[in-house]
Amino acid sequence: MSPLWGARLDGSMFAEPLVVQGLIIEATEHDTVYALDAASGCVAWETSLGTPFDTSRHRLQCNNITPELGITATPAVDTLTGTIYVVAYFDPGRYEMDALDLSSGALKWRHPIDLPDSDVLQQLSRPAVALANGRAYASFGGRAGDCGRFHGFVIGVNADGTGPDLVFQAAPLKGAIWAPGGPVVMPDGELLVSTGNTDEQKQYDGNNAVVRLSSTLVAQDFFAPGNWKHLNQIDFDLGSVGPALLEGDRIFQVGKEGIGYLLDAHHLGGIGGHLFRKSLDKGCYAIGTTAYRPPLVYVPCDHSLTAVRVTGSRFDVAWRGPDFRSGSPIVAAGLVWDFDFEGGFVWGFDADTGVVRQRVATGHGEHFASLSASAGRLYVPAQRNLYAFSLD
């Protein structure tokens, strides 16, 4: 495979490319949103939202995104209203949700995001924006290293940019919501999120959980592993991967410990209330976003892409890929595609067997970056270079 086209953007891309009405919508850490023609890569429009946070001028106690902090979360697009929703970070340290016109890139509105009782310099918005219930939901955790005063938040902003916002806070302190896929929207409009570690060792406080939220961000139910204290001690977040909603009203969840859990979507079960649990073995330190093509869930592990076959209320490992640091996989054209963002390769695996069908050099990508595919093309965000490949 060789690229159909490549485009160099003005900053690194942590956000997944979105394919919408013949356009690729991509956002950069330079606080710029681009629309490119999906077939040619020509820029249809680009909009600069402001001045990103300069990490060389403002030292952060914890951070692994340099030299700029701008747009890290994948935006969301409402095709009915032609609106793009973007969470941007600006110098000297503030968050906004901005709405752009899909056809022109013109700003529709800007809405400041308040993160109560937290140090905004220590908060990162990594999860994708979710759209549901007439709102755009932005999520927040801490920066790499978990420094300072931060919380796991979901913030619900009205689709027209008016206030007040809805707020869910996962724990009294920490409990990051940071898996890149963002909240899962359930058929009834409720949301599923996963949370990270806190420092708590005595009374359970919302850490390392799968939480079901109402449309107004009120917690309805939760699951947490029985060993939550140990996960807190060793920083093995359950929330390093978002929940996957499966057929049969099941939820699959896995985190850094590499133990998968199968949950009942209608009764998450509280502490230790899983339907089934099993280690994925082979050092599956999982971070990123899963992909799902029944009956297989594709899990991004630190040393391989791992396929898990779910049967009823049980699962087993079906196959493992070669040793590389898996990004966030997708399924397209009969293959599972995964970005080895550290090695600089895109891999294509037979979805059923794991046999390698493609391996393409692209250059390095950012942490847990995800590919996109549409209309016979695969789109790869490799740091500042966006590539399109043919799937035919």
Side-chain angles (χ1 to χ4, degrees), residues 195-235:
T195 69
N197 60 284
T198 68
D199 296 326
E200 183 60 48
Q201 285 296 303
K202 294 181 180 179
Q203 184 174 353
Y204 181 74
D205 64 351
N207 66 81
N208 293 293
V210 175
V211 186
R212 190 175 77 239
L213 302 173
S214 72
S215 61
T216 55
L217 300 186
V218 176
Q220 304 296 300
D221 196 5
F222 82 99
F223 160 78
N227 66 337
W228 61 266
K229 294 179 184 179
H230 180 64
L231 298 182
N232 276 347
Q233 286 177 330
I234 62 175
D235 187 22

Side-chain angles (χ1 to χ4, degrees), residues 13 30 75 103 134 152 179 187 193-194 215 229 263 311 315 318 329 363 380 384:
M13 293 169 281
H30 195 62
S103 61
V193 296
S194 57
S215 61
K229 294 179 184 179
L263 311 175
T311 306
F315 60 81
V380 182
R384 294 181 63 179

Side-chain angles (χ1 to χ4, degrees), residues 13-46:
M13 293 169 281
F14 284 75
E16 182 179 9
L18 302 176
V19 188
V20 187
Q21 298 176 358
L23 296 174
I24 303 296
I25 306 300
E26 182 58 288
T28 74
E29 293 291 344
H30 195 62
D31 275 330
T32 303
V33 182
Y34 287 83
L36 301 94
D37 181 85
S40 67
C42 294
V43 175
W45 54 258
E46 62 181 278

Side-chain angles (χ1 to χ4, degrees), residues 73-99:
T74 300
V77 181
D78 185 339
T79 57
L80 293 178
T81 64
T83 305
I84 305 169
Y85 296 91
V86 182
V87 177
Y89 191 59
F90 300 107
D91 194 74
R94 62 183 179 87
Y95 279 103
E96 277 186 1
M97 181 173 285
D98 295 340

